[in-house]
Amino acid sequence: NGEYALSPKNKVWNLYHIPSGTKKAIHSVKEPGIPWFKREESGTPWFTDDGSAILFEGDGGLWKYDLNAGILIQIAVFEKYQTKIINGKWKGFSVSKCNIHDRQVDLSEPLVIQLYDPRENITSYVLWHKGKIKPVISPTSRHIESFNYNKAYTHFSYIEEDYNMPPRLVYKEIGKEEKVVYESNKDDKAILSLKQEIISYTNSDGISLKGILYYPLDYNPSGKYPMVVHVYEKQRHLANRYPYPSYDDGRGFNIRLFLEKGYFVYLPDILIQEKDGPGMDALDCMNNALDALAGNPLIDKHKIGLIGHSFGGYEVNFIATHSTLFAAYVSGAGHSDIVWAYHAFNYNFHFPDYLRIEANMYKMGIPFSHNKTLYWKNNPLYWAENVNAPVLLWTGLEDKNVTSDHSMAFYNALRRNKKSVIALFYKGEGHVLQNKEAQFDLTARILDWFDYHLYGKKNIEWIDKGMEKGDAPVKSLFERCEKTSSGNDPEN
């Protein structure tokens, strides 16, 4: 009703009382000395529509803060699960540098709660009302989305899928068995035999991580196959997604296409900490993730490729300058110079980029001026001379998130050090390619790149031409066909 507002400031949930102009930090009853926002289980807050309390989503349960008594207590326990309220009423807007959200729940009706176990990638849905719990969807390893319900919360529908099961529409009533209304991709019989393994490993600090390993479709148990590794952050949650064969991904990476071509595909978790820097942390996790596959005789350890986009592109750039485990790299729209990026302005998010370099994904945790050595050690551009495998770079020329200058700078550094590199610059495209022709072009070239360097497929013209020493960077299909009036004038 406008009397209270919540804001996460300085890593603490602060409760503001607007009429009196006062504020207070919300603390747990069990641990009064620990601000609520710093606790692992703190989550999205929801005001009750009668203005009497705030509900907090979180790890392990649901919490209620009584606005009159000033007490926070746990009202529902869901051990090992992260909770998310589905049927709350939400609206919001942005002003200047502030995002305002009005979130309310009606406790006179049941709460629809999604439960998710990130460690095992298990999802469940329940109804919670006045302390009582009714299960809707039992814990499942399948991916659930498009969850719908009627006003009485008795009838539900949703879409479920898995790595070896195409998406299907399901209808469910409380207390009754689910009914499959529609199944997609019925002719995709090959996916039924797809083999997947969840690989467990740790980083050097002993923190548990997991990787998703897909086997090639129709693989021979006595054969040996190349592998493509995709890098970003934690990817364990992707293990239950149906792999569509498609050329229209704006990042150029499609798991199914690689599986059909006879590749292993590996999606390992990467954990970035405020310690050695994002590059060094990514390298550490990647080395341990690959070590965990050492006992698999089907993977050709000399034919492994690495691919990533955006922050994953940065990770590829850095790993390429410090590793000898890969035979080829693909880096899309990634930072190559974090020192440059740190002092640049981001015209996509409209803030100085040091904000996300110090925190967010990069987690440098300290200003450049306070520890220049840390930035230097984690900067791919400064180690370009150490790259020992071919690199394919791609970027959109209109990218305002990670400008194409980063790809050009890394290209120049690699060329100057006589490394094998090709750069693709897509006209009119941003951080993720949108034009269907550009998407197809990029996906096809990435497949070509790994076929060339991992499977030994030769006579691919654009690669042969681009790998010639001293040649200009190969551009996208759209630019290669364009002729300028300047001819071969180096000033243009």
Side-chain angles (χ1 to χ4, degrees):
N1 59 11
E3 186 175 352
Y4 290 98
L6 277 168
S7 176
K9 188 175 183 180
N10 298 326
K11 296 184 178 181
V12 175
W13 274 119
N14 287 306
L15 177 66
Y16 294 82
H17 185 241
I18 306 302
S20 65
T22 60
K23 72 173 182 177
K24 61 186 293 188
I26 295 180
H27 296 267
S28 169
V29 172
K30 290 183 179 180
E31 300 174 272
I34 302 179
W36 178 244
F37 188 69
K38 290 186 177 181
R39 291 170 53 88
E40 289 185 0
E41 58 263 35
S42 66
T44 301
W46 297 84
F47 283 93
T48 58
D49 63 350
D50 62 4
S52 67
I54 306 167
L55 297 190
F56 284 92
E57 303 168 352
D59 279 1
L62 197 65
W63 282 260
K64 181 179 180 181
Y65 181 82
D66 189 310
L67 287 167
N68 294 322
I71 297 176
L72 180 71
I73 59 173
Q74 188 170 7
I75 58 174
V77 178
F78 300 105
E79 191 175 353
K80 297 181 180 180
Y81 288 99
Q82 295 175 348
T83 60
K84 182 179 180 181
I85 297 173
I86 302 300
N87 61 330
K89 298 177 181 179
W90 178 94
K91 60 182 178 180
F93 60 92
S94 297
V95 290
S96 184
K97 297 179 181 180
C98 183
N99 296 315
I100 307 295
H101 304 283
D102 181 1
R103 296 177 178 270
Q104 292 189 34
V105 291
D106 182 358
L107 293 186
S108 68
E109 296 183 349
L111 293 181
V112 181
I113 300 177
Q114 180 195 71
L115 306 178
Y116 178 66
D117 180 353
R119 301 161 192 84
E120 301 299 328
N121 201 25
I122 299 292
T123 301
S124 176
Y125 282 81
V126 300
L127 296 179
W128 182 90
H129 191 217
K130 298 180 179 179
K132 296 182 179 180
I133 298 171
K134 284 185 179 181
V136 178
I137 301 177
S138 299
T140 177
S141 60
R142 294 170 180 170
H143 177 63
I144 306 294
E145 63 179 26
S146 300
F147 186 82
N148 292 284
Y149 44 86
N150 66 339
K151 291 182 179 180
Y153 303 105
T154 56
H155 299 66
F156 305 86
S157 69
Y158 51 92
I159 296 173
E160 65 177 5
E161 64 180 302
D162 210 338
Y163 74 93
N164 57 359
M165 185 186 79
R168 61 187 194 177
L169 177 62
V170 178
Y171 169 77
K172 181 77 165 60
E173 294 182 33
I174 289 288
K176 295 183 180 181
E177 293 293 321
E178 64 180 28
K179 296 180 181 180
V180 177
V181 177
Y182 175 78
E183 294 183 72
S184 69
N185 297 278
K186 288 186 177 181
D187 293 332
D188 187 8
K189 305 301 182 183
I191 203 66
L192 301 177
S193 61
L194 175 61
K195 181 176 179 179
Q196 180 198 85
E197 287 183 13
I198 303 301
I199 308 298
S200 296
Y201 60 98
T202 67
N203 64 2
S204 293
D205 292 327
I207 298 175
S208 297
L209 299 170
K210 294 182 183 294
I212 310 166
L213 180 66
Y214 297 89
Y215 281 63
L217 285 173
D218 301 323
Y219 74 94
N220 185 334
S222 61
K224 195 172 279 289
Y225 301 87
M227 180 172 70
V228 172
V229 181
H230 180 270
V231 62
Y232 191 63
E233 291 186 286
K234 288 189 175 181
Q235 304 180 89
R236 171 70 175 91
H237 64 285
L238 300 174
N240 52 12
R241 309 303 167 87
Y242 170 68
Y244 290 93
S246 171
Y247 277 79
D248 62 1
D249 187 290
R251 300 166 182 84
F253 174 70
N254 182 273
I255 292 175
R256 183 65 175 270
L257 297 180
F258 282 106
L259 299 180
E260 291 178 348
K261 277 178 163 282
Y263 288 90
F264 275 87
V265 176
Y266 191 31
L267 279 62
D269 284 345
I270 301 295
L271 178 64
I272 306 301
Q273 307 174 86
E274 290 185 11
K275 185 182 176 185
D276 299 320
M280 297 302 294
D281 282 346
L283 179 66
D284 172 60
C285 292
M286 184 59 67
N287 287 340
N288 290 345
L290 292 179
D291 285 346
L293 300 179
N296 192 320
L298 301 181
I299 300 173
D300 188 339
K301 306 304 188 296
H302 302 290
K303 298 295 181 180
I304 302 177
L306 183 63
I307 184 171
H309 167 261
S310 192
F311 184 63
Y314 159 78
E315 292 173 313
V316 170
N317 292 341
F318 186 84
I319 292 171
T321 64
H322 286 73
S323 178
T324 59
L325 300 177
F326 297 95
Y329 299 95
V330 175
S331 172
H335 283 136
S336 67
D337 189 345
I338 60 172
V339 175
W340 175 16
Y342 181 90
H343 296 97
F345 188 83
N346 189 300
Y347 286 94
N348 185 60
F349 297 109
H350 299 284
F351 57 53
D353 248 348
Y354 62 72
L355 292 175
R356 66 172 174 172
I357 300 293
E358 289 183 18
N360 293 67
M361 293 177 175
Y362 290 84
K363 295 182 173 65
M364 294 297 284
I366 193 170
F368 171 74
S369 59
H370 291 189
N371 193 342
K372 296 180 181 180
T373 300
L374 180 65
Y375 282 77
W376 175 70
K377 286 182 177 179
N378 286 274
N379 204 26
L381 194 68
Y382 294 172
W383 305 95
E385 68 275 11
N386 295 333
V387 173
N388 67 350
V391 179
L392 176 65
L393 303 168
W394 70 266
T395 182
L397 288 174
E398 303 303 319
D399 190 347
K400 294 182 179 180
N401 189 10
V402 178
T403 61
S404 60
D405 292 341
H406 283 274
S407 294
M408 180 57 80
F410 203 46
Y411 172 85
N412 287 337
L414 294 173
R415 275 294 195 191
R416 185 66 184 87
N417 287 281
K418 296 181 171 56
K419 305 298 179 180
S420 297
V421 58
I422 294 179
L424 309 174
F425 297 89
Y426 286 89
K427 237 179 181 181
E429 296 291 343
H431 196 54
V432 177
L433 305 189
Q434 300 296 323
N435 181 280
K436 293 296 182 183
E437 293 179 85
Q439 293 172 347
F440 187 96
D441 180 66
L442 176 62
T443 303
R445 289 182 188 275
I446 289 174
L447 291 170
D448 281 350
W449 185 258
F450 286 125
D451 283 350
Y452 189 96
H453 294 290
L454 303 186
Y455 257 119
K457 181 181 178 181
K458 301 303 178 183
N459 301 318
I460 300 178
E461 182 182 358
W462 71 271
I463 298 179
D464 286 336
K465 176 179 173 58
M467 299 291 278
E468 293 174 6
K469 298 298 181 183
D471 194 16
V474 175
K475 299 182 179 181
S476 72
L477 281 176
F478 317 111
E479 293 183 274
R480 287 174 62 198
C481 297
E482 293 180 357
K483 302 294 182 181
T484 64
S485 59
S486 59
N488 294 319
D489 185 355
E491 293 299 315
N492 289 275

